């Protein structure tokens, strides 16, 4: 009984103990619509805040953990990226809806570990091998594996910042290189990648070019799937998905994982 109490108190205190290691690990990377802005609003002083509203699809679950900024597994809660994308006001993102949907569809799936790595406003060149963001992604991925578990997929939601530059015609090659480098550096040659095709209303003139690249992936890579964010609704800025659409995207990501990557058979 004393040991059980110890582990319970350790979990509450965010102490990393062996029994808190999740079985299935998912990396979350990209820019602001991955880190989440659902529920954000501007107050009378034009300061961005989060409304604090957490729908059931985004609720905490003892079987869903997150790797915090200190690389410690803690109970996942919204805003999921609050200590990672810390220069911005984070709100609801697709991560918790994704994990909750998996557990809803497959109750025997086991524990899920989410590894937030997304940073708002980033272009794909900022995710090149050797950059701060790329190195942080690899470092956090390796830290997540300390103690066991398996990385099941990378969830990728990025591209809005590449829509206003003619350089967008290089997006395809950069995306392929990013995925290949990550697989090589994590030593997971068949790492599944589930990306979101962007659709924000207020973006640059090359948004359709980026969307086309994302929708027409995998370029013969059967371990890459794309879900479409088209049909989403937005905050007043017409760039960031609102809570309703973040939930929808998270559930789409979960459906893609369960249907394509052996998600119905937990490891």
């Amino acid at each position: 009984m004393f040991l059980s109490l110890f582990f319970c108190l350790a979990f509450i205190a965010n102490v990393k103990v062996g029994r808190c290691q999740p079985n299935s690990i998912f990396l979350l990377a990209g820019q602001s619509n991955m880190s989440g802005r659902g529920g954000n609003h501007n107050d009378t002083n034009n300061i961005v805040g989060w409304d604090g509203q957490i729908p059931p699809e985004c609720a905490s679950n003892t079987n869903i953990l997150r790797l915090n900024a200190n690389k410690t597994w803690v109970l996942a809660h919204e805003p999921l990226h609050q200590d990672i994308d810390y220069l911005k006001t984070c709100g609801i993102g697709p991560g918790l809806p994704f994990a909750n949907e998996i557990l809803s569809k497959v109750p025997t799936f086991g524990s899920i570990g989410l590894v937030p790595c997304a940073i708002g406003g980033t272009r794909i060149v900022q995710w090149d091998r050797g950059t701060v963001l790329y190195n942080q992604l690899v470092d956090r991925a390796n830290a997540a594996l300390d103690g066991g578990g398996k990385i099941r997929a990378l969830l990728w939601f990025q591209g809005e910042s590449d829509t206003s530059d003619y350089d967008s015609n290089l997006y395809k090659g950069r995306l392929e290189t990013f995925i290949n480098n990550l697989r090589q550096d994590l030593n997971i040659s068949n790492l599944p990648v589930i990306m979101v095709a962007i659709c924000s209303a207020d973006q640059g003139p090359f948004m359709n070019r980026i969307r086309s690249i994302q929708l027409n992936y995998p370029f013969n890579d059967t371990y890459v799937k794309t879900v479409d964010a088209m049909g989403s609704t937005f905050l007043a800025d017409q760039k960031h998905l609102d809570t309703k659409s973040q939930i929808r995207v998270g559930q789409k990501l979960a459906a893609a994982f369960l249907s394509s990557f052996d998600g119905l058979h937990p490891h």
Side-chain angles (χ1 to χ4, degrees):
M1 181 176 180
F2 175 78
L3 287 176
S4 297
L5 178 61
F6 167 78
F7 280 117
C8 181
L9 292 174
F11 181 82
I12 294 172
N14 294 343
V15 175
K16 186 174 182 179
V17 294
R19 68 186 298 173
C20 289
Q21 178 72 29
N23 300 321
S24 296
I25 298 167
F26 295 91
L27 310 177
L28 282 59
Q31 56 181 111
S32 56
N33 276 321
M34 175 56 83
S35 65
R37 301 292 186 263
N40 283 6
H41 62 281
N42 287 12
D43 65 15
T44 54
N45 296 315
N46 205 34
I47 297 175
V48 178
W50 176 52
D51 64 15
Q53 299 299 307
I54 302 177
E57 298 89 345
C58 307
S60 294
N61 183 313
T62 54
N63 280 321
I64 305 174
L65 306 179
R66 66 181 290 271
L67 194 73
N68 68 13
N70 294 324
K71 303 176 193 173
T72 298
W73 287 116
V74 299
L75 182 68
H77 62 81
E78 298 287 9
L80 199 66
H81 275 77
Q82 65 179 350
D83 59 348
I84 300 298
D85 195 11
Y86 58 87
L87 294 179
K88 304 291 178 63
T89 300
C90 293
I92 300 295
L96 267 167
F98 165 82
N100 275 314
E101 181 73 1
I102 289 177
L103 294 181
S104 173
K105 297 298 184 184
V106 189
T108 59
F109 191 82
S111 58
I112 292 175
L114 302 175
V115 184
C117 297
I119 300 294
T122 53
R123 300 178 61 193
I124 196 164
V125 294
Q126 293 176 265
W127 293 90
D128 283 349
R129 176 186 266 161
T131 60
V132 171
L133 295 183
Y134 182 87
N135 289 344
Q136 177 177 265
L137 173 59
V138 172
D139 180 59
R140 286 177 57 75
N142 286 325
L145 292 170
D146 184 20
K150 177 181 179 180
I151 296 177
R152 303 296 301 277
L154 164 73
L155 308 184
W156 176 253
F157 196 166
Q158 189 277 336
E160 293 93 342
S161 292
D162 291 277
T163 62
S164 60
D165 194 327
Y166 186 74
D167 214 24
S168 59
N169 62 352
L170 301 177
Y171 190 88
K172 174 182 175 180
R174 288 170 172 164
L175 180 60
E176 288 182 288
T177 298
F178 164 71
I179 292 173
N180 291 334
N181 285 344
L182 186 62
R183 287 171 171 167
Q184 182 178 12
D185 291 338
L186 294 181
N187 195 29
I188 308 174
S189 60
N190 60 350
L191 173 69
V193 177
I194 312 174
M195 75 176 73
V196 183
I198 63 172
C199 71
S200 297
D202 183 20
Q203 293 298 338
F206 300 107
M207 186 185 76
N208 286 335
R209 176 182 290 170
I210 301 298
R211 272 182 54 79
S212 178
I213 291 169
Q214 294 169 335
L215 288 169
N216 289 296
Y217 217 96
F219 318 140
N220 300 319
D221 187 337
T222 58
Y223 286 93
V224 176
K225 301 296 178 185
T226 303
V227 303
D228 197 350
M230 185 62 72
S232 295
T233 48
F234 302 89
L235 303 180
D237 62 12
Q238 295 299 305
K239 296 180 180 180
H240 296 110
L241 275 64
D242 62 16
T243 295
K244 177 182 176 181
S245 289
Q246 286 287 11
I247 292 171
R248 174 174 171 263
V249 166
Q251 292 174 339
K252 279 191 166 190
L253 289 165
F257 172 74
L258 292 174
S259 64
S260 301
F261 299 120
D262 199 30
L264 295 175
H265 300 88
H267 294 273

